[in-house]
Amino acid sequence: MNPFRAVPTMKDGDFALAESTAILRYFARTYKPDLYPMSKQTHIDWACDNFTTGGLYKDAATTVYPCLGFGHLGDNAKEVGAALKNKLQKFADTFLKGKFIGGDRLSIADYKIAPFFYAWAHPTLKSKCGVEAPERIVQFNKDF
């Protein structure tokens, strides 16, 4: 299905698609447009892109994935974990002006980021990697 042999990949009828944000956009546009409202798409896209290219996803690979058993904790896991609080706070200050990224209602960006926010607030990540989730991220998790 995916010529690049990567995950995630999805198939809907004869249509196949890869990359998490592209898949979320497709499903929202096709089946649940209220998760990707036209008036908020730029903000939602920016949040998704920033998560991926702004370093948070790379930090997840260093902290979350090893704590879940996918690889080993590197020597810099505690250093990355300690720096994450400031990065997460900056993300929250920029994108979480309302209850969720798209405002008061969930959007595709929230679904993309929620698993990582939940993991970063988990006590295991604090004990193994020194991650301390800011209160705004903890509140997001409760609201989600």
Side-chain angles (χ1 to χ4, degrees):
M1 287 190 325
N2 183 340
F4 300 104
R5 299 188 176 278
V7 292
T9 300
M10 53 83 35
K11 187 169 182 165
D12 188 22
D14 291 333
F15 182 70
L17 184 64
E19 302 300 334
S20 61
T21 305
I23 291 168
L24 286 167
R25 287 182 187 118
Y26 170 79
F27 278 125
R29 286 180 176 147
T30 305
Y31 299 107
K32 195 82 168 134
D34 59 313
L35 292 177
Y36 192 48
M38 183 64 75
S39 64
K40 308 253 183 189
Q41 284 182 2
T42 302
H43 184 74
I44 290 167
D45 288 344
W46 183 24
C48 288
D49 291 347
N50 181 271
F51 177 80
T52 304
T53 62
L56 286 175
Y57 185 76
K58 182 179 178 184
D59 293 340
T62 304
T63 57
V64 175
Y65 294 153
C67 285
L68 293 175
F70 300 102
H72 70 283
L73 283 174
D75 294 336
N76 68 336
K78 290 263 188 190
E79 181 182 320
V80 170
L84 256 170
K85 183 172 186 176
N86 290 334
K87 289 182 179 182
L88 290 169
Q89 187 61 56
K90 186 173 184 177
F91 187 93
D93 291 345
T94 304
F95 297 111
L96 292 172
K97 305 280 188 198
K99 192 173 185 179
F100 301 110
I101 291 170
D104 290 331
R105 301 185 70 186
L106 289 168
S107 72
I108 61 170
D110 300 297
Y111 285 101
K112 178 180 182 74
I113 294 163
F116 298 98
F117 280 3
Y118 180 81
W120 280 320
H122 195 277
T124 300
L125 272 285
K126 186 173 185 176
S127 67
K128 288 188 175 185
C129 299
V131 177
E132 189 175 333
E135 183 53 40
R136 182 61 187 94
I137 301 304
V138 172
Q139 185 60 51
F140 173 90
N141 290 341
K142 290 176 186 175
D143 292 339
F144 191 85

